[in-house]
Amino acid sequence: MTDLALPARLRGLKPRAGRAGVTVATALLVGAVAACLLAPILWPLDESAVDLARTRLAPSWQHLAGTDDLGRDVALRSLYGLRVSLLVGAVAALVATVIGGLVGAVAGTVGGLVDRVLMRVVDTIAALPHLLLGIFIVAMLRPSLGAVILSIGLTHWLSTARIVRSELLSLRTRPFIDAAVSGGASRVRVLTRHLLPHVLPRLALATTLMVPHAVWHETALSFLGLGLPPHLASIGNMINDGQRSLLTGAWWASIVPGLVLVAVTLALATLTGRWRDRLDPRVRAELNL
């Protein structure tokens, strides 16, 4: 496709994330995940160990990111906290995808009154602030790892349900679906053998796109004191604990975990955005990918 064949608004447009950006994002994400997994082996220290003789030490060779107000190593806790936050984000995104996929599949396959009722439920929940709804769910279940995952999953499935429903409604008009129905295929068989295989790539993409948002949601809950238990290292808990040290000049206690969170979520967003561009056939055609 030549440049003149592109629409005027797309001439000279480049992919959202170039090769250099994708390479940097991949290296950063792989390095962060490897560091999280290998931290107990390469750095065999207790991330929760309290040492009141080493409180609020500035970054040095012995403590690369300093220590917090309880003498805990900030760099080590950031690795453990990132591991917990990524785990919560990934599992919560998977829960939200399963819920949204089931609701969207039922709405798009059955149609009629069921479709209208389910979509009105989706619109009603979407009108509520996600963070406030998540706080309410955690408060009802008491702060814990499972409560945080459930609160994120129950508040982030709406977009997935809409995507699956719209894809199924579009696929139902295709000739191969009419041929399958004419051949005597049941509704369940049409859904499982002909419709869902076309939707699964979208579901996988929706899951990966949701992980950064779920990580930020967990961080917000932990920062408000309604997320993971205080003794458990997570990025939100560390930022919440570190805000007390800002007044004493110990900025590293909250800034370092915040920078780790921003860097990893930006890398995730870059890679998932690139994947979305390559998955969408319209973008592929327009950008000649």
Side-chain angles (χ1 to χ4, degrees), residues 123-202:
D123 294 338
T124 301
I125 298 177
L128 302 174
H130 287 176
L131 183 57
L132 292 180
L133 187 57
I135 291 174
F136 174 77
I137 295 174
V138 172
M140 293 291 293
L141 300 175
R142 293 191 306 176
S144 64
L145 185 64
V148 171
I149 292 175
L150 189 60
S151 69
I152 298 174
L154 292 178
T155 55
H156 290 74
W157 57 271
L158 309 174
S159 59
T160 303
R162 290 193 178 110
I163 291 172
V164 173
R165 173 183 175 270
S166 62
E167 288 290 326
L168 292 180
L169 291 178
S170 175
L171 290 171
R172 284 173 56 184
T173 61
R174 302 289 180 85
F176 70 92
I177 298 298
D178 294 334
V181 174
S182 300
S186 63
R187 181 175 294 176
V188 175
R189 182 176 179 82
V190 170
L191 176 63
T192 57
R193 295 295 299 273
H194 301 285
L195 294 177
L196 286 184
H198 291 81
V199 179
L200 287 179
R202 296 285 182 181

Side-chain angles (χ1 to χ4, degrees), residues 32-41 45 47 76-90 145 215 218 228 232-235 260 264:
V33 173
C36 291
L37 296 177
L38 297 177
I41 300 175
L45 299 174
E47 79 281 3
L76 180 61
R77 283 181 61 82
S78 295
L79 291 179
Y80 279 88
L82 180 62
R83 181 169 63 175
V84 173
S85 297
L86 288 177
L87 175 64
V88 171
L145 185 64
V215 171
E218 179 275 323
L228 301 178
L232 187 62
S234 74
I235 298 297
V260 170
V264 172

Side-chain angles (χ1 to χ4, degrees), residues 30-52:
V30 171
V33 173
C36 291
L37 296 177
L38 297 177
I41 300 175
L42 301 179
W43 210 342
L45 299 174
D46 185 3
E47 79 281 3
S48 300
V50 175
D51 188 354
L52 298 180

Side-chain angles (χ1 to χ4, degrees), residues 65 74 77-78 234-236 238-239 242 251-262:
V74 174
R77 283 181 61 82
S78 295
S234 74
I235 298 297
M238 292 186 65
I239 297 176
W251 52 266
W252 51 85
S254 58
I255 298 299
V256 170
L259 290 177
V260 170
L261 174 66
V262 171

Side-chain angles (χ1 to χ4, degrees), residues 1-15 281-289:
M1 179 182 291
T2 63
D3 186 62
L4 295 177
L6 290 172
R9 64 182 179 85
L10 290 174
R11 290 174 187 169
L13 185 64
K14 299 300 180 183
R282 293 172 298 179
V283 177
R284 288 174 59 90
E286 292 171 349
L287 297 180
N288 194 25
L289 296 178

Side-chain angles (χ1 to χ4, degrees), residues 217-239:
H217 194 94
E218 179 275 323
T219 302
L221 289 175
S222 297
F223 178 77
L224 295 173
L226 292 170
L228 301 178
H231 69 276
L232 187 62
S234 74
I235 298 297
N237 282 339
M238 292 186 65
I239 297 176

